[in-house]
Amino acid sequence: MSLGRTFKLNSGYNIPAIGLGTWVENAVEAALRAGYRHIDAAACYQNENEIHWPVAFEHTNETLTPIDPVTKRFRLANVPIADTWAALEKLVEAKKIRSIGISNFTQDKIDDLLKTAKIPPAVNQIEAHPYLQQPGLHKYLKEKVKISLLPDVLERINANMLTEYPVRRI
């Protein structure tokens, strides 16, 4: 998993330094059984049936999880992020979850969220690698809002990166 290495979050809890992207079928259950506690989930992995994140489905009497017949994806309702965040804060207060994070939020999106959030995000997982370094966002997260940064680099590594930016020393 993370070989014991963790990052301290602003919530006081630790998060494993290495997470697992769940783009492989049945990866979530296997990861949890293996001891992973930092799970990376995304709609593009098409594994919504294995993991749920705080999104709202369109209401229907047909099923609990309405599937679009054309895209074969869940039909989602448009719910403001402030409402979603407030629901997550209630889960923290009820001790159902310990920390709340965000993923790929820009500085503007974080500023909007912080206008209504009682609990600030503990982490912003972003894409970060030699082709997309985002130094302004890194500085903002570190200095202004005290949010931990979790670079999502392993998913994006390709052969070009490995030859253009070789490891010189460990």
Side-chain angles (χ1 to χ4, degrees), residues 27 32 42 56 59 66 68 71 82 89 91 98 102-103 126 133 140:
L32 291 172
H59 176 73
D68 185 290
T71 65
E89 289 173 327
L91 292 173
R98 299 188 301 185
I102 53 180
S103 181
I126 67 166
Q133 297 179 23
Y140 169 79

Side-chain angles (χ1 to χ4, degrees), residues 43-115:
C44 65
Y45 298 155
Q46 298 184 356
N47 62 356
E48 291 95 338
N49 62 329
E50 288 187 70
I51 195 165
H52 175 73
W53 60 97
V55 297
F57 298 127
E58 284 185 2
H59 176 73
T60 177
N61 290 327
E62 304 163 10
T63 176
L64 291 175
T65 54
I67 305 292
D68 185 290
V70 175
T71 65
K72 306 292 187 222
R73 304 299 304 275
F74 288 118
R75 292 189 312 240
L76 303 179
N78 187 13
V79 178
I81 189 67
D83 294 353
T84 301
W85 199 260
L88 288 168
E89 289 173 327
K90 287 179 183 175
L91 292 173
V92 171
E93 291 166 8
K95 301 197 181 319
K96 300 283 185 185
I97 59 175
R98 299 188 301 185
S99 304
I100 315 169
I102 53 180
S103 181
N104 296 312
F105 270 45
T106 63
Q107 181 175 336
D108 289 343
K109 289 286 184 191
I110 295 169
D111 287 340
D112 286 345
L113 175 61
L114 292 175
K115 289 176 188 174

Side-chain angles (χ1 to χ4, degrees), residues 136-154:
L137 182 57
H138 286 250
K139 184 177 180 182
Y140 169 79
L141 292 171
K142 183 178 178 182
E143 295 176 2
K144 301 287 185 194
V145 293
K146 308 293 190 254
I147 296 175
S148 297
L149 169 72
L150 290 179
D152 179 13
V153 65
L154 295 177

